[in-house]
Amino acid sequence: MSEPTERPLVHLRGGGVSVLLDARSTGVPVVLHWGEDLGDGAGFDAPVWAPAVSNNAVDVPVPLSLLPEEALGWSGRAGLVGHRGGHDWSPSFLLQDLQATSDQIVVELADPVARLGVTCELYLDGTGVLRVRHTVRNTGDEPYVLDRLAVTLPVPGRASEVLDLTGRWCREAHPQRRDLQQGAWVRESRHGRTGHDASLVLVAGTPGFGWRHGEVWAVHLGWSGNHTTWAERGPDGRGTLGVGELLGPGEVILAPGQECATPWAYATWSDQGLDGLSASYHRWVRSRPSHPRTTRPVVLNTWEAVYFQHDLGVLSELADSAAALGVERFVLDDGWFGQRRNDHAGLGDWEVSGEVWPQGLGPLIEHVRGLGMAFGLWVEPEMVNPDSDLYRAHPEWVLRERPGSPLPPPSRHQQVLDLGQSAAFDHILGRLDALLTENAISYLKWDHNRDLVAAGHDGRPGVHGQTLAIYRLLDELRRRHPDVEIESCSSGGARADLGILERTDRVWVSDCNDALERQTIQRWMGLLLPPELMGEHIGPPTAHTTGRTHSLGFRAVTALFGHLGLEWDVRQAGEAERRVLTDVIAFHRRHRDLLHAGTTVRPDPIDTSHHVHGVVDDGEALFAYVQLASSPAEVPAPVLLPGLDDDRTYRVRAEHVAGAPLTVQRVAPPWLDAPDGVRLTGRQLRITGLPVPVLAPEQALLLHLVAD
Ligand code: GLA
């Protein structure tokens, strides 16, 4: 390491988290600590703190810096990888400047030999979420090929298990976990979108960490293109978590003077298990100026109600039914434009179809608005069907390996527009702008229904540029139409990340409306996203994507914890179903202030046959006790309800909707039928719990707790 200077140790603290940087060498600041708050005056002395040097390693301690460097002996994944024609491949940065305030550090680095500069930015506020971004600059006079620029953070040896998410269409956000042994657990997403299988949040924690216990460290990358996340443990035992964009060969070549930034990495720590992590993430997400502040309106989405069968009469009747149930936003899904009578044609032709809408969308919009609902419209702006007027006019606007090369394999019969071409970008922006200007549309469901494959721009990999272009497109559209809300959909939840959410207001979590599948998907997506950002719809009795049939009670309890909607031809619903739906929607509307602002809690389940989740706020809570499969025990153990105020007494009642419990119980504990429920303290509910009825698989009990 270089000679020490007068530069300081720099300590950021916020939300119970500390980050301690050692900036006393002349090189890249070392991350001495990221995790539990170290308190006032961290009191670390670098010579004492430096790690031991092992036999046969380099003779000086190898720093784990903000940008780990091979040049100093780091043998794990380096923070910056690139070259200039095979040279300048192992930079060694010198610290130029460090500016620190109570919640941010900005570090300037330079390598005068490799002719590179790097800016590292770290922000930590009271939410406990540390945001980190690095920007590399080519200060030379020849191009620099950037292969990787990543955010790396240390985790201690006791963080010996890792958990991340994976999934597929209709089965997003499923956890997988393993021991973190020597080597790297690397996830690489090459879908050109965040991906159904996105790791979403990569967690390292102490052995056996759970929802409510264990020490955990987590990272998320706010990026909607190709990306990589990893957890690594080196031979010296040191662990790291890393996130960065996954760049294709020659995808980013920095011209002299040019720079490239990583997406923001969002890192947090908790000693309260996964609930502690999600509490920090939710706090941060909710603190953003762009976070939706208005009441989340109950939605009806037409997709599973009518699919491509658009008809003014039918949709007007559907709107009537929806409004009578208490729906507040009516979203017309795919099928309203061009030749889009099925998914083989029409994408790209963003003109209202004269065939199905001879008088335009005006009459439906007026009808919907006349019923007191807002009107939303589905679009998929980045895509084109080869069978479309747009493609016939501009086949050159499609992402492909190089101009003139064969098209990439179709997916859902569609290709991806190259929005890095300004003519294509301007055309799509113009069409969307016109739609929003000419019609009273206050909401777009913005879809993206395929992976990007061999997606080249001008003969070079194009996902990086495409991702930035789509962000620009959204930003410009929002600038022109600031009151229009946008939902991020990508064949369900394949574009759910904090990059797209900087410019959208809701995520369509999954195309699967099967309540049983949704229980798992929503639980894990909720690790990052607060409930108000997650679109959750009550579908028809038999789920279209799985063929499972569920009671309305189970479907309703499953959907009402998020941003509630219906996706069902409710014209067909019977009288009893309509009564329940009316009550469920009214219930959600009464309680959405709690549901959309409270703290999500999920006690660790005793076995995998059930789970419990809830939202807790000042003096009030809603919990769902959910039977996923048949229980191994004849009588379920009392359910522990954490997160409440120990010293307050709560009246606990099962919520009844339309005069009947949302679920059918077989043998009920006595409190369930008592008109006033049962009164227990927060401490009792946390420690001894609440006796619950025996539920059949795929039933759920909704509990409402109000403090005295
Ligand atoms: C995707 C979306 C669905 C629906 C269809 C329309 O699959 O995820 O919700 O909008 O497209 O084609």
Side-chain angles (χ1 to χ4, degrees):
M1 287 226 281
S2 354
E3 287 304 306
T5 70
E6 290 310 304
R7 289 187 197 278
L9 287 180
V10 193
H11 188 190
L12 290 184
R13 299 172 67 200
V17 173
S18 273
V19 177
L20 186 65
L21 289 192
D22 184 347
R24 290 178 292 187
S25 83
T26 55
V28 184
V30 173
V31 188
L32 289 183
H33 170 82
W34 161 50
E36 184 171 354
D37 187 356
L38 296 170
D40 273 344
F44 285 79
D45 179 50
V48 175
W49 230 80
V53 172
S54 74
N55 287 337
N56 207 34
V58 292
D59 291 339
V60 288
V62 175
L64 208 180
S65 73
L66 278 174
L67 209 65
E69 293 165 310
E70 182 179 345
L72 298 187
W74 181 252
S75 61
R77 291 164 73 85
L80 173 66
V81 181
H83 62 98
R84 218 179 245 111
H87 300 278
D88 300 330
W89 56 276
S90 178
S92 185
F93 285 98
L94 297 173
L95 180 57
Q96 303 297 294
D97 188 35
L98 186 150
Q99 300 291 331
T101 63
S102 62
D103 63 357
Q104 73 180 65
I105 303 174
V106 180
V107 175
E108 296 293 345
L109 306 168
D111 178 339
V113 179
R115 289 152 299 150
L116 293 168
V118 169
T119 306
C120 307
E121 297 163 86
L122 294 86
Y123 298 84
L124 174 62
D125 63 19
T127 66
V129 171
L130 170 72
R131 285 189 305 136
V132 188
R133 174 172 76 174
H134 302 323
T135 305
V136 61
R137 208 165 301 106
N138 180 4
T139 53
D141 44 20
E142 289 153 37
Y144 176 78
V145 179
L146 179 64
D147 290 328
R148 181 169 74 231
L149 178 61
V151 171
T152 310
L153 288 166
V155 290
R158 62 187 180 280
S160 60
E161 284 181 23
V162 289
L163 176 147
D164 62 0
L165 305 186
T166 186
R168 60 164 171 80
W169 178 71
C170 274
R171 198 177 191 273
E172 294 83 346
H174 274 58
Q176 48 184 3
R177 65 192 288 169
R178 66 204 61 241
D179 289 340
L180 179 56
Q181 296 175 335
Q182 278 192 10
W185 168 244
V186 182
R187 299 290 309 281
E188 295 190 332
S189 171
R190 291 192 183 77
H191 301 289
R193 51 177 167 174
T194 326
H196 288 108
D197 62 347
S199 56
L200 194 71
V201 177
L202 171 63
V203 182
T206 47
F209 67 83
W211 283 103
R212 306 282 306 175
H213 66 273
E215 203 186 353
V216 276
W217 292 254
V219 285
H220 163 81
L221 189 70
W223 183 244
S224 316
N226 293 340
H227 62 281
T228 179
T229 59
W230 71 87
E232 182 168 29
R233 186 169 306 290
D236 62 4
R238 284 189 289 183
T240 53
L241 296 182
V243 285
E245 202 182 335
L246 184 61
L247 297 172
E251 182 153 21
V252 174
I253 302 177
L254 298 176
Q258 216 182 358
E259 60 181 34
C260 180
T262 64
W264 284 106
Y266 299 84
T268 192
W269 167 91
S270 171
D271 59 0
Q272 307 288 312
L274 299 170
D275 267 2
L277 292 181
S278 80
S280 298
Y281 279 131
H282 293 184
R283 273 197 302 272
W284 190 83
V285 168
R286 286 172 171 166
S287 73
R288 302 166 310 153
S290 63
H291 193 67
R293 304 265 167 237
T294 52
T295 305
R296 304 292 73 213
V298 177
V299 171
L300 181 130
N301 179 287
T302 63
W303 179 238
E304 288 199 355
V306 299
Y307 290 104
F308 289 105
Q309 309 308 311
H310 285 201
D311 174 89
L312 176 60
V314 168
L315 287 160
S316 300
E317 281 176 24
L318 187 58
D320 293 338
S321 297
L325 298 173
V327 168
E328 298 159 303
R329 175 186 278 162
F330 185 88
V331 181
L332 182 65
D333 212 282
D334 196 355
W336 56 268
F337 52 92
Q339 294 304 307
R340 188 73 170 175
R341 303 294 79 77
N342 54 50
D343 62 10
H344 286 251
L347 269 185
D349 298 339
W350 302 110
E351 308 281 348
V352 179
S353 160
E355 187 189 333
V356 258
W357 295 100
Q359 305 162 66
L361 293 176
L364 180 66
I365 296 178
E366 273 164 41
H367 186 76
V368 164
R369 285 163 55 88
L371 291 164
M373 296 187 289
F375 184 82
L377 192 66
W378 180 95
V379 289
E380 197 181 357
E382 296 140 272
M383 298 293 164
V384 63
N385 285 123
D387 184 0
S388 67
D389 293 342
L390 184 70
Y391 182 80
R392 283 183 281 275
H394 291 288
E396 77 284 6
W397 281 0
V398 166
L399 285 169
R400 55 178 101 199
E401 196 259 322
R402 78 191 103 82
S405 67
L407 287 175
S411 176
R412 212 188 181 205
H413 321 289
Q414 65 198 53
Q415 295 292 341
V416 189
L417 287 175
D418 180 359
L419 295 176
Q421 296 187 37
S422 54
F425 183 98
D426 292 345
H427 173 81
I428 293 297
L429 175 62
R431 286 311 312 138
L432 294 171
D433 188 24
L435 266 173
L436 295 178
T437 306
E438 290 158 14
N439 300 285
I441 296 168
S442 60
Y443 185 76
L444 289 178
K445 175 178 173 186
W446 187 297
D447 216 334
H448 179 286
N449 278 321
R450 65 159 294 169
D451 279 0
L452 274 54
V453 175
H457 167 82
D458 256 350
R460 286 174 40 200
V463 172
H464 173 78
Q466 178 78 359
T467 311
L468 293 176
I470 181 66
Y471 287 172
R472 276 201 310 279
L473 182 62
L474 282 159
D475 291 343
E476 178 55 20
L477 207 63
R478 279 169 82 91
R479 195 188 63 74
R480 295 187 191 181
H481 302 277
D483 296 330
V484 173
E485 289 200 0
I486 300 178
E487 171 174 24
S488 173
C489 174
S490 185
S491 326
R495 193 151 68 180
D497 64 82
L498 295 184
I500 201 76
L501 274 163
E502 270 181 50
R503 51 274 291 177
T504 53
D505 307 280
R506 183 192 210 236
V507 164
W508 180 228
V509 172
S510 178
D511 275 355
C512 185
N513 287 321
D514 175 322
L516 181 63
E517 300 288 340
R518 276 289 186 134
Q519 282 290 339
T520 305
I521 297 170
Q522 292 166 189
R523 184 177 183 82
W524 288 96
M525 196 74 94
L527 192 53
L528 181 71
L529 303 184
E532 64 273 22
L533 294 185
M534 295 201 285
E536 303 183 0
H537 294 176
I538 300 174
T542 299
H544 291 190
T545 52
T546 62
R548 273 198 201 105
T549 299
H550 287 124
S551 69
L552 182 49
F554 188 61
R555 278 140 59 215
V557 175
T558 301
L560 66 73
F561 279 82
H563 180 178
L564 179 65
L566 308 179
E567 193 164 333
W568 176 12
D569 185 356
V570 283
R571 295 176 314 149
Q572 315 292 336
E575 258 319 294
E577 287 175 319
R578 293 182 61 76
R579 264 203 313 279
V580 176
L581 279 177
T582 307
D583 277 10
V584 167
I585 290 172
F587 181 87
H588 177 82
R589 289 171 60 164
R590 267 199 315 282
H591 294 282
R592 61 188 157 189
D593 285 353
L594 163 68
L595 290 166
H596 294 167
T599 304
T600 300
V601 294
R602 310 141 181 112
D604 286 293
I606 295 161
D607 59 54
T608 56
S609 71
H610 71 278
H611 66 212
V612 179
H613 61 92
V615 178
V616 176
D617 215 340
D618 205 23
E620 196 179 1
L622 283 167
F623 277 92
Y625 169 61
V626 185
Q627 196 70 47
L628 303 165
S630 65
S631 165
E634 281 176 353
V635 178
V639 162
L640 307 184
L641 302 179
L644 303 163
D645 187 336
D646 265 4
D647 297 321
R648 292 181 83 172
T649 302
Y650 293 82
R651 192 199 62 203
V652 185
R653 283 201 313 199
E655 270 303 330
H656 290 206
V657 169
L662 277 171
T663 188
V664 183
Q665 79 272 359
R666 300 201 301 248
V667 184
W671 70 265
L672 198 66
D673 292 323
D676 264 344
V678 61
R679 292 161 64 81
L680 293 163
T681 64
R683 184 176 287 103
Q684 289 167 323
L685 287 161
R686 177 172 65 79
I687 299 172
T688 51
L690 179 76
V692 285
V694 178
L695 297 184
E698 297 161 31
Q699 290 190 324
L701 183 69
L702 181 63
L703 301 167
H704 188 199
L705 286 73
V706 181
D708 286 344

